[in-house]
Amino acid sequence: MLGLVIVLFIIIVIIICFRWYLSHVHSSLYWCWDNGNEDKRIAIDTNNGPVASNWSEWEPTHIKHGQKCGLAVDHYHRYKEDIQLMHTLGCNAYRFSLAWDKIEPIEGQYDKDILTHYHDVLKELHRQSIIPMITFHHFVHPLWFEQRSAFLDSSNISKFVRFSIDMFQEFQDECHLWCTINEPEVYVSGGYFTGIFPPGHKSQPNEASLIMQHLLQAHVDIYDGIKKIAHQPEQHSIGIVKDIFQFDPWNPVNPLDIYTSHILDYAMNGCILDFFRTGCFKWTMPGTIHRTYTNSRAPYTNDFIGLNYYSHFLVRFNLFKPSFYEILHRQDDSGSALMTDMPYALYPEGLYRACVRIKNQLPCIPIYITENGIADRFDDRRHLFLRRYLYAVSRAINEAGCDVRGYFYWSLTDNFEWAEGYDMKFGLYHVDLQTQERTLRDGSKYFQYVIQKHREKYEKKNL
């Protein structure tokens, strides 16, 4: 009888502990959004021609519906019009990347006309009082670089470093914010895990880990190289852009889901943040090479961290899948399960979590939210996305003390969204590809309102 009582007592304690975990720990990962009825006025503080590249060779065979980029929304030629749209919206900063494939179509030979184009873009931005932020590598590079195994070959690192430092030297008088590499883990995952990015190698974690190491090495070399040659090093801020998609367990009390999500999160997020915190890169995934790389300079090579944030993944262990896990999403299409047109849900809580994570793991390093946006073809969720994600930024600043210096919405206009082609509508402006007309989406009016209120508060504060 006593034994039965003890067993029942233990069961009750376990149940109480689970309920406490679910109500106090797991539930804190989600906020109550009142099904979209929350106050709509939340106050917050806050192509010049064909060029051969890794992506030009990749399309249209590997792009959804066999689509081809072409001129896309023709921002290359219509940059003045688009910069005027930024000014009209109230934007005071613009992040863009330099097209390495256009600038250096032949190794060692820079196209002077393309460089002149970028000088003209920068002049127009300054004329409209818009601060530029330049990115050196955003997934695309010249075909000659790809044909030499790109970042898989360590001898190619110096080629990218040389290009980046040369571009800094070219534009340093016109720009003071610099991003070295955009989302290294996305480049690695798309090209060497899922195979939806060039070169399309699927399930190659050993290649992926080596490329990740080389990208991180390149970042450190670029940072040090720029600081050495800059006329006024203290005026230039340089950082890497880190996309954070949290990998959370599908079942928060299932040890296998918890373990699998932890492994994935460390491989895509933790190992990079640890590298910039400790100088040691460690790649640990079951069944792969255990890779380590140490660079004592790494903790001193970010004047800021660029944070790209969209959503999170729910991970469930599945013995019958080749990878032994699957990515799932809630199915009730409300609250935390409200989906975007991309295969992920609205999850503004995660933007707060990502800011806090960077603050805790890389203290004293400012944050620029370099991408945050929604694919919303019918523009019926964009207003919710903007209100909720900007609210999350406000909480990160005011409650958690995160040093968030800026916010860039992705994107100003619709675009050719990599492997998704033209199917995904991220832009604040819809672009008719036939007429190239730009039309402000209704949901974006809230964005305009927020910028105006923020500007008024900033100006009042600095009177």
Side-chain angles (χ1 to χ4, degrees):
M1 184 65 180
L2 179 61
L4 180 60
V5 171
I6 293 173
V7 170
L8 289 173
F9 176 76
I10 292 173
I11 292 173
I12 291 171
V13 169
I14 292 174
I15 292 172
I16 291 172
C17 290
F18 276 168
R19 288 178 63 87
W20 177 86
Y21 172 80
L22 291 172
S23 62
H24 291 83
V25 179
H26 179 66
S27 64
S28 67
L29 303 181
Y30 299 92
W31 301 336
C32 178
W33 292 107
D34 195 22
N35 293 323
N37 296 316
E38 64 269 11
D39 183 4
K40 290 182 171 54
R41 289 292 181 261
I42 298 172
I44 65 169
D45 297 326
T46 53
N47 297 318
N48 198 32
V51 177
S53 72
N54 55 330
W55 277 88
S56 69
E57 292 296 293
W58 187 246
E59 62 179 34
T61 308
H62 301 91
I63 308 298
K64 186 178 285 188
H65 308 311
Q67 297 176 92
K68 196 167 184 177
C69 180
L71 287 176
V73 298
D74 200 21
H75 174 73
Y76 186 90
H77 295 106
R78 301 174 69 120
Y79 68 90
K80 288 186 178 180
E81 176 184 345
D82 290 342
I83 291 171
Q84 180 59 49
L85 293 179
M86 298 174 210
H87 179 78
T88 302
L89 272 177
C91 299
N92 66 352
Y94 172 52
R95 176 182 173 231
F96 65 100
S97 57
L98 299 176
W100 184 12
D101 55 320
K102 284 183 169 64
I103 294 172
E104 193 182 3
I106 300 172
E107 184 181 0
Q109 298 181 26
Y110 294 147
D111 188 318
K112 293 182 179 179
D113 290 338
I114 302 298
L115 293 176
T116 299
H117 165 80
Y118 283 116
H119 280 295
D120 292 341
V121 170
L122 288 161
K123 287 176 185 175
E124 184 65 19
L125 288 168
H126 288 299
R127 193 179 74 81
Q128 297 281 11
S129 300
I130 295 174
I131 299 168
M133 174 184 272
I134 287 178
T135 303
F136 294 126
H137 190 276
H138 195 137
F139 302 159
V140 182
H141 46 244
L143 185 59
W144 59 261
F145 186 77
E146 181 74 8
Q147 290 173 338
R148 297 182 187 181
S149 299
F151 292 103
L152 188 59
D153 187 338
S154 61
S155 67
N156 289 331
I157 297 174
S158 61
K159 295 177 174 58
F160 172 56
V161 172
R162 181 260 304 156
F163 165 78
S164 301
I165 294 174
D166 285 352
M167 291 306 100
F168 170 82
Q169 202 156 20
E170 179 77 24
F171 300 111
Q172 66 171 311
D173 294 334
E174 300 160 276
C175 181
H176 298 96
L177 291 171
W178 307 88
C179 303
T180 55
I181 299 163
N182 181 77
E183 301 178 345
E185 77 294 337
V186 174
Y187 172 83
V188 162
S189 176
Y192 299 88
F193 275 114
T194 63
I196 63 172
F197 282 15
H201 296 183
K202 292 185 178 181
S203 303
Q204 297 296 323
N206 294 329
E207 288 185 350
S209 63
L210 182 60
I211 291 169
M212 188 85 83
Q213 173 187 319
H214 291 163
L215 289 170
L216 296 176
Q217 180 180 338
H219 165 83
V220 173
D221 291 347
I222 292 168
Y223 182 95
D224 286 343
I226 286 176
K227 292 295 185 178
K228 286 178 182 177
I229 69 165
H231 299 153
Q232 296 176 299
E234 69 283 352
Q235 289 191 3
H236 294 277
S237 294
I238 307 160
I240 198 167
V241 173
K242 176 72 186 80
D243 168 87
I244 291 183
F245 262 80
Q246 295 96 358
F247 291 82
D248 293 325
W250 171 258
N251 183 342
V253 296
N254 183 329
L256 292 174
D257 289 359
I258 294 170
Y259 174 75
T260 306
S261 62
H262 173 76
I263 291 294
L264 291 172
D265 190 79
Y266 188 80
M268 293 293 105
N269 298 313
C271 67
I272 297 175
L273 296 177
D274 277 356
F275 175 71
F276 290 119
R277 180 175 59 87
T278 67
C280 185
F281 169 73
K282 296 180 181 179
W283 177 275
T284 55
M285 286 190 74
T288 69
I289 292 173
H290 179 77
R291 193 179 302 281
T292 60
Y293 164 67
T294 301
N295 191 319
S296 60
R297 286 287 305 139
Y300 311 101
T301 59
N302 281 296
D303 300 318
F304 65 86
I305 291 292
L307 169 61
N308 292 358
Y309 189 84
Y310 295 93
S311 185
H312 70 155
F313 293 128
L314 296 176
V315 181
R316 182 167 69 183
F317 178 81
N318 189 332
L319 190 61
F320 302 103
K321 294 285 184 180
S323 59
F324 300 112
Y325 70 87
E326 56 187 335
I327 302 294
L328 302 174
H329 306 283
R330 305 298 180 195
Q331 298 297 319
D332 61 1
D333 202 33
S334 66
S336 60
L338 182 61
M339 297 295 290
T340 71
D341 291 349
M342 294 288 278
Y344 45 74
L346 264 72
Y347 185 60
E349 296 91 334
L351 179 52
Y352 172 89
R353 290 171 59 193
C355 289
V356 172
R357 181 175 185 176
I358 291 174
K359 171 182 175 275
N360 291 340
Q361 292 191 243
L362 300 172
C364 303
I365 297 182
I367 300 168
Y368 284 95
I369 297 171
T370 37
E371 285 183 30
N372 179 236
I374 179 175
D376 183 7
R377 176 183 294 273
F378 300 109
D379 202 36
D380 55 3
R381 291 147 290 169
R382 199 179 315 273
H383 64 294
L384 292 179
F385 182 96
L386 285 165
R387 287 207 308 274
R388 294 177 180 182
Y389 279 70
L390 290 172
Y391 171 72
V393 175
S394 176
R395 286 188 62 168
I397 295 170
N398 296 321
E399 295 181 12
C402 297
D403 185 6
V404 179
R405 300 285 179 90
Y407 172 95
F408 295 84
Y409 178 83
W410 177 266
S411 57
L412 176 73
T413 63
D414 291 336
N415 61 290
F416 189 83
E417 184 60 28
W418 307 114
E420 297 295 329
Y422 290 115
D423 285 15
M424 298 302 155
K425 307 298 183 182
F426 278 91
L428 293 175
Y429 282 90
H430 166 69
V431 180
D432 187 310
L433 293 177
Q434 299 300 320
T435 65
Q436 291 294 334
E437 291 183 359
R438 274 78 165 149
T439 307
L440 182 67
R441 289 194 162 97
D442 288 341
S444 308
K445 292 176 181 177
Y446 178 74
F447 183 76
Q448 203 168 12
Y449 167 85
V450 166
I451 291 178
Q452 181 60 33
K453 288 298 180 183
H454 179 72
R455 176 165 290 179
E456 290 173 0
K457 182 167 185 177
Y458 178 81
E459 291 173 351
K460 183 178 180 181
K461 183 178 178 181
N462 289 276
L463 285 176

